[in-house]
Amino acid sequence: MLTKKRGAVAAIVAIVLLGVGVPTAAYADDDETDQLVISFPVDEAFEEELGTATAQNTSTGEMITPFYDPPLGGCDWSDTSGTITANYLSGVLSDLTANYQGKTTCLTTAAGQSMEHMSTVVNLYKNNTNMDSGNVDDCNYNTVNSCTLVLSVGIHNCIGDLLCEGIYQVGQFPTMTLPDGWTWTSWPSSCTNLGTDTLACYSYSGTMVIPLVYPG
């Protein structure tokens, strides 16, 4: 989404003294402001990988695809998103604010379904350098609460032209531990097996470019 705002200020002073003509207008500085509001694009490659993980019940030998089937419902860590609002003064980047998040959700299809443990953290990158991070969120299963959703949120502010321009991207890094009695048997290339029951995964948004000069 692209929005644009413009503003201009002009002061006109007219003076007539004793019937003698004086230049009728003195024109003040014309400061023009513009704004870009851009959402990070979705990288569909991470969504397509979600169905490749499988888990096995260590007691019965039952095999499931836990991103679609019980006991885990369906898990999705591709919600790695955000928006950048960039302000321009006289056509040159002056400052920006990035709001970004990473969310991992394991939907349930029946009572008692839950992950044993989940966590996630989201990072904001500029030109492949980590500029900022959101909060670390985690949950644990117990007899009162299930563990099915974690959400990391961040806000990044930047002031300056050359300091703020660049290529931005959001990355999320969740972990997911299966319930007791289950073990991972395969997983997507975006995950690493940290043990028989825990995966550490990642997903990235697409990239966006914040230019030094307003493109309008």
Side-chain angles (χ1 to χ4, degrees):
M1 178 176 67
L2 174 68
T3 63
K4 181 177 179 182
K5 299 179 181 178
R6 292 185 177 275
V9 178
I12 300 177
V13 181
I15 304 174
V16 177
L17 180 60
L18 297 177
V20 177
V22 178
T24 58
Y27 199 81
D29 291 339
D30 186 359
D31 292 331
E32 183 179 282
T33 61
D34 299 283
Q35 187 176 84
L36 290 177
V37 180
I38 310 175
S39 297
F40 286 96
V42 174
D43 190 334
E44 296 181 355
F46 291 104
E47 292 184 317
E48 294 171 357
E49 281 195 334
L50 296 182
T52 64
T54 57
Q56 184 177 32
N57 187 306
T58 54
S59 297
T60 66
E62 177 189 2
M63 298 291 294
I64 63 167
T65 304
F67 301 99
Y68 300 114
D69 304 327
L72 307 175
C75 294
D76 183 1
W77 64 88
S78 65
D79 186 352
T80 305
S81 57
T83 301
I84 290 183
T85 301
N87 297 305
Y88 291 79
L89 181 62
S90 299
V92 178
L93 181 63
S94 60
D95 63 270
L96 63 79
T97 298
N99 293 274
Y100 56 100
Q101 73 169 39
K103 182 171 70 172
T104 296
T105 306
C106 292
L107 300 176
T108 59
T109 59
Q113 295 177 0
S114 174
M115 283 291 191
E116 187 69 24
H117 175 79
M118 295 172 63
S119 70
T120 197
V121 64
V122 67
N123 294 337
L124 178 71
Y125 298 90
K126 186 188 78 171
N127 300 332
N128 296 318
T129 299
N130 187 2
M131 302 299 294
D132 213 340
S133 298
N135 62 297
V136 177
D137 190 26
D138 67 340
C139 65
N140 293 282
Y141 171 77
N142 56 51
T143 56
V144 177
N145 299 312
S146 61
C147 178
T148 57
L149 184 149
V150 283
L151 173 65
S152 176
V153 177
I155 299 176
H156 176 75
N157 295 298
C158 179
I159 298 176
D161 43 24
L162 296 176
L163 292 174
C164 302
E165 70 158 336
I167 301 173
Y168 286 81
Q169 190 173 30
V170 179
Q172 180 190 187
F173 302 89
T175 66
M176 292 167 285
T177 301
L178 289 167
D180 289 343
W182 292 88
T183 182
W184 295 108
T185 54
S186 66
W187 45 88
S189 61
S190 57
C191 294
T192 300
N193 191 347
L194 299 182
T196 59
D197 61 357
T198 300
L199 292 183
C201 303
Y202 64 84
S203 66
Y204 290 94
S205 70
T207 60
M208 75 161 69
V209 176
I210 300 298
L212 177 63
V213 178
Y214 184 72

